Amino acid sequence: MCGIVGYVGPQKAEEVLLSGLTRLEYRGYDSAGVAILTPGGLRLIRRVGKIANLVEAVREAGITGNLGIGHTRWATHGLPTEDNAHPHCDCTERIALVHNGIIENHRELREELALRGHRFRSQTDTEVLVHLVEEHYQGDLVEAVRQAVARAVGAYAIAVIHADHPTVLVAARQGSPLVAAVLPQEAFLASDVPALLPYARRFCFLEDGEVAQLRPGELRVWDRQGRPKQPVFREVPWDPLSAEKAGFRHFMEKEIHEQPRAIADTLRSELSTPWEEGLSGLDLSEIEHVYLVACGTSYHAAMVAEYLWEPLLRLPVTAEIASEFRYKTPALGRRTLVVAISQSGETIDTLVAVRQAKESGAQVIGVVNVVGSAIAREAHAVLYTRAGLEIGVAATKTFTAQIAALALLGLWLARARGLLGEAELRAAKEELSRAPRLVEEVLKLEPKIEGWAQKFYTYPNFLYLGRGVLYPLALEGALKLKEISYIHAEGYAAGEMKHGPIALIHEAMPVVVLYSAQELPHKVIANMQEVRARRGILLVLADAQDPEVQELADHLLLLPPSSRMLLPFTFTPALQLFAYHVARLKGTDVDQPRNLAKTVTVE
Ligand code: M6R
């Protein structure tokens, strides 16, 4: 949801900004821009489309300076045009500002500012902020920003520069992420860590309500009331190489292949940072209801956990879409455990659900991939998935890492509730440790899966069916296909097909069936027969040899056999590879599919 970069120091600001924006392009990519302080004053360059267009324009213009801000946009208010692209300038063109978020009271502010003579040049909600800074500016940029954001309702992460302050970068955050890094003679700002990985490893994650001033070698932070705060820096264990493609055609392809390591590291993390310590502040013995809240792919991981946990914990366990959960006013309290799952740790719907759960007295655990992110900070306890940096907008390795972490957490909770003996726990963990090896075996099936993609990439519709724990995996398979290939795909609980989707079946409708000996095999065979009877095309992923399945399937992919807990690790990589190759053959922008953003920080 828009990416921000800021720089002040001896390097060429334009180089740092453009490299940072390229690394943040997954956050939004319909237009981009930079503002650089040059000897001739502030220079603004903005372009519609991808960062590559901006890079070319900046090179052509030949501008250079040591202070600047940049932005890559995911439009919310106003079309993706050059005028609506950030940075935006005040009336004097001496102040420039970039923004990620939504200013909800922008209409009132715009009317008020227009009456006071401010000239607006865009249709964005953002532009009111730069005119507010102009209104309040009396020589102190930090104070002007503080007063400006005090008038704004909504979510924002902003970076502001002023031509009168050549070594100062001011930032503020409320609801949208911002990280700062400081080296002896320079300072950096960005929406997300990957932008700054080539320069720093220690980051200060700004908190809501904070205003920050960055100068070469210095970061000063104030709270909402203007009281100074001591910035806290955290080490992020990702290296810049993880942001390279390492010979793969796309980040998504690379990340699919990184899953064995991501899962192994996640499972190992329980040993390196004992969960007993992390969860010791919680009282889990009296829990009466568990909610798993998340969005998108993380919600599918939550659904997998619902299927795995309920029989283990003997408690009601409910997976909830975070944006719905917030408005359902569920009855929460000390005996409710809320597990918030988020790769980025910044998804606003999930973050607000966390806040609401805390306010209602529930105990909250975050399962998060990005160290130091908002959900990681705000949950009562956090368990990190160790998938490493994920650049592809479509989540892959973080999904299976989430499932690994959740499977482990389920076992751990069952043990804490006295429902699993020490020996059973050990055996289950041993079983889980087979997951990376199973993924490796499935990845070897890639040539056959690619062959399927070659046969089917021109089909306009797909149906995905699964039962039990394979149902959320069917949803995830369909989501992967639609988000990167733009093919319409629907996931369904196989037993529900006869209640509606069966009307879609005809001789040109591919139906991807997930079949396992562990999840109602006979019922799924009956569902396949229903498809067959209507001449649908059956693409079957099966983890068991069955003559009836063999006979029914038009195309059959045999996966390695496993236990119920391990099903996500065999079926998921196959579905991801299928979606990937279909999209690749269609020639879509696999890593940055249209209209999507990696981190959704607007409601
Ligand atoms: O960062 P989060 O896990 O909270 O993100 C949630 C969704 O936005 C995300 O999973 C989205 O659905 C991805 N595009 C899926 O590939």
Side-chain angles (χ1 to χ4, degrees), residues 295-298 341-347 350 393-395 402 476 479-480 483 596-600:
C295 301
T297 289
S298 298
I341 306 152
S342 172
Q343 182 283 130
S344 60
E346 299 284 353
T347 298
T350 313
V393 165
Q402 284 169 343
E476 176 59 10
L479 176 65
K480 282 293 88 86
E483 70 180 335
L596 291 178
K598 183 78 183 157
T599 309
V600 183

Side-chain angles (χ1 to χ4, degrees), residues 10-28:
Q11 299 191 54
K12 291 180 171 174
E14 65 281 10
E15 302 288 344
V16 178
L17 298 182
L18 293 173
S19 113
L21 290 178
T22 306
R23 286 163 192 276
L24 285 187
E25 205 170 18
Y26 63 83
R27 296 182 65 86

Side-chain angles (χ1 to χ4, degrees), residues 75 84 100 188 282 306 341 383 506 520 537 545 569:
N84 289 335
N100 167 28
F188 304 82
L282 303 178
E306 177 182 312
I341 306 152
L383 302 176
H506 57 81
L520 301 168
I537 309 165
Q545 301 254 24
F569 303 104

Side-chain angles (χ1 to χ4, degrees), residues 137-401:
Y137 181 73
Q138 286 178 346
D140 183 341
L141 188 57
V142 173
E143 186 52 27
V145 168
R146 206 172 68 75
Q147 291 190 32
V149 295
R151 300 283 325 274
V153 176
Y156 53 80
I158 59 169
V160 190
I161 56 174
H162 193 303
D164 291 350
H165 301 274
T167 58
V168 175
L169 178 61
V170 177
R173 101 155 246 179
Q174 176 64 45
S176 302
L178 267 186
V179 293
V182 177
L183 294 181
Q185 292 176 8
E186 51 196 338
F188 304 82
L189 183 77
S191 297
D192 205 351
V193 167
L196 305 183
L197 279 177
Y199 314 102
R201 215 49 66 75
R202 282 167 49 76
F203 300 94
C204 172
F205 294 81
L206 295 183
E207 303 274 353
D208 275 352
E210 287 181 349
V211 175
Q213 176 185 265
L214 294 90
R215 298 168 71 107
E218 181 192 274
L219 171 67
R220 297 178 68 195
V221 179
W222 295 267
D223 69 11
R224 212 182 293 276
Q225 284 72 38
R227 291 175 299 220
K229 285 179 83 176
Q230 189 60 37
V232 179
F233 286 84
R234 289 194 178 87
E235 186 106 11
V236 172
W238 295 341
D239 62 274
L241 256 189
S242 57
E244 306 300 334
K245 285 188 199 146
F248 288 96
R249 286 164 286 196
H250 296 96
F251 282 112
M252 183 183 178
E253 186 185 21
K254 173 179 170 241
E255 287 156 4
I256 289 173
H257 285 267
E258 281 173 346
Q259 290 180 103
R261 192 213 33 81
I263 296 163
D265 286 357
T266 299
L267 293 175
R268 235 179 267 128
S269 74
E270 189 218 10
L271 305 174
S272 53
T273 35
W275 286 14
E276 279 83 350
E277 276 170 37
L279 302 175
S280 60
L282 303 178
D283 174 12
L284 301 169
S285 52
E286 304 285 303
I287 293 296
E288 288 171 355
H289 198 136
V290 180
Y291 286 101
L292 296 136
V293 291
C295 301
T297 289
S298 298
Y299 169 66
H300 297 153
M303 286 180 74
V304 168
E306 177 182 312
Y307 277 97
L308 296 181
W309 286 13
E310 211 149 43
L312 254 183
L313 302 184
R314 292 182 221 145
L315 281 177
V317 178
T318 320
E320 294 272 5
I321 294 171
S323 55
E324 290 296 318
F325 180 72
R326 292 175 52 186
Y327 298 104
K328 278 173 81 178
T329 50
L332 306 176
R334 184 82 195 141
R335 293 185 175 183
T336 317
L337 174 65
V338 172
V339 180
I341 306 152
S342 172
Q343 182 283 130
S344 60
E346 299 284 353
T347 298
I348 196 73
D349 290 318
T350 313
L351 179 57
V352 176
V354 165
R355 288 179 182 154
Q356 188 183 313
K358 279 174 75 183
E359 274 163 26
S360 316
Q363 305 187 67
V364 182
I365 301 177
V367 175
V368 169
N369 195 47
V370 178
V371 175
S373 54
I375 293 173
R377 293 196 308 268
E378 295 196 23
H380 293 122
V382 60
L383 302 176
Y384 284 111
T385 48
R386 304 285 176 182
L389 177 61
E390 189 175 69
I391 302 261
V393 165
T396 52
K397 61 175 178 173
T398 53
F399 176 63
T400 43

